[in-house]
Amino acid sequence: MQIASAMSRHISRGVGPLEVQEIIGFLAGADPSPSTAGGPRKTILLRGIVEMLSALVEERGLTDPDVDEFLALAEEGCYEVARNDGGIDAARRGLDIGPWYAGEPFVPADEYLDLGALWIPSREGIQIEPMSSDSTSGCADVTLVLDGTALQLQVFRRTEDSTWRAVRHDLLRKIRASHSRASETLGLAGIEIEANQAVTMQDGSSTFMRVRFLGCDGPGWFLRGVVTGTGAEPESLEQWPYEVFLNTVVQPVPPGGGSDTIPLHPPVVP
């Protein structure tokens, strides 16, 4: 295959010829070989795809159709790797990427606002909407607002039905059943859902609202983020909702109560 031979001339020493062949085979739809199936293969695959894409820039012997074909396969391959992983790499979460769990050794040294079950990074200009609570259940969620974009955060006890994979499936089903559009996409926090949801206004009229759903599984917990406003638009380049989501620290999960939702309290500075 011309693409494979071209890539092997330009790939770095970190990815050997056999791995190049495996990557090409994976992108073409082949099953992984028994000797490389499992966790290590996933790491090699993602790095290898990036290096092979870079090599395309240097390779003059490929025709435009070859390049287009490979880019299409690479895009689908990266999407499948992230999909199979359920979003954020579980092996990396807590090491070099968040959301974090209290007590993990690599939690960034940052200024946080204490909401009880969640500590959220303090960022200049971000406003927290008033949080209402009662003496029994506390606050169910918190909403942060900046420049027309809102991020709602909510943390749950993790169960078989509250993993990010299960929640995505349920959200897609419910949104589509309401005659709204929704799809899975790759974002800065892994797999997310982009939706154009039908909503009813206070005057009874109907309109559509753009929404992005983020999620991450942790040890005993599941963190969900909901982005609305200008940051949820398809052309938006807003990064602060992702930065806050990925740097949020989940505190030790209290014993289970009558709800999977872990209550929060109004913010205090630790």
Side-chain angles (χ1 to χ4, degrees), residues 73-128:
L73 290 171
E75 180 180 8
E76 180 62 23
C78 288
Y79 184 83
E80 285 301 317
V81 169
R83 179 195 295 273
N84 292 336
D85 197 39
I88 295 171
D89 190 337
R92 291 176 53 210
R93 197 217 59 75
L95 295 176
D96 59 0
I97 190 171
W100 307 89
Y101 189 48
E104 289 174 333
F106 300 106
V107 174
D110 208 340
E111 293 186 4
Y112 293 93
L113 294 177
D114 177 2
L115 302 178
L118 294 179
W119 284 24
I120 59 174
S122 178
R123 295 290 186 268
E124 183 178 357
I126 294 180
Q127 302 295 318
I128 296 180

Side-chain angles (χ1 to χ4, degrees), residues 12-97:
S12 77
R13 294 181 180 180
V15 180
L18 293 179
E19 292 167 343
V20 171
Q21 292 294 334
E22 183 192 0
I23 293 169
I24 291 292
F26 174 82
L27 295 177
D31 292 331
S33 62
S35 62
T36 56
R41 176 188 175 277
K42 176 176 61 180
T43 303
I44 292 172
L45 178 63
L46 288 173
R47 187 186 73 235
I49 288 177
V50 172
E51 293 198 17
M52 293 172 75
L53 288 173
S54 300
L56 282 172
V57 178
E58 303 177 27
E59 177 55 51
R60 298 182 179 181
L62 296 179
T63 65
D64 288 343
D66 284 334
V67 174
D68 292 340
E69 175 191 5
F70 184 78
L71 289 174
L73 290 171
E75 180 180 8
E76 180 62 23
C78 288
Y79 184 83
E80 285 301 317
V81 169
R83 179 195 295 273
N84 292 336
D85 197 39
I88 295 171
D89 190 337
R92 291 176 53 210
R93 197 217 59 75
L95 295 176
D96 59 0
I97 190 171

Side-chain angles (χ1 to χ4, degrees), residues 98-238:
W100 307 89
Y101 189 48
E104 289 174 333
F106 300 106
V107 174
D110 208 340
E111 293 186 4
Y112 293 93
L113 294 177
D114 177 2
L115 302 178
L118 294 179
W119 284 24
I120 59 174
S122 178
R123 295 290 186 268
E124 183 178 357
I126 294 180
Q127 302 295 318
I128 296 180
E129 290 191 350
M131 300 170 64
S132 60
S133 63
D134 57 54
S135 59
T136 57
S137 60
C139 306
D141 56 65
V142 60
T143 300
L144 299 86
V145 181
L146 177 64
D147 296 334
T149 297
L151 169 66
Q152 181 195 74
L153 293 174
Q154 194 168 13
V155 63
F156 304 86
R157 293 179 180 85
R158 185 177 177 182
T159 66
E160 290 184 0
D161 296 327
S162 64
T163 64
W164 182 216
R165 185 186 299 274
V167 170
R168 289 202 316 268
H169 177 79
D170 190 50
L171 281 172
L172 288 170
R173 178 181 58 82
K174 290 180 177 179
I175 293 172
R176 290 166 178 169
S178 67
H179 306 290
S180 302
R181 295 181 179 179
S183 60
E184 290 183 330
T185 62
L186 276 174
L188 298 177
I191 294 285
E192 64 182 52
I193 291 178
E194 287 189 0
N196 196 18
Q197 283 188 277
V199 295
T200 301
M201 307 300 287
Q202 292 183 347
D203 61 4
S205 62
S206 297
T207 187
F208 285 87
M209 180 177 67
R210 294 282 185 178
V211 185
R212 296 186 186 186
F213 295 91
L214 319 178
C216 180
D217 302 317
W221 51 265
F222 162 67
L223 179 65
R224 185 182 72 179
V226 182
V227 182
T228 55
T230 57
E233 294 296 328
E235 67 278 6
S236 173
L237 299 177
E238 292 260 20

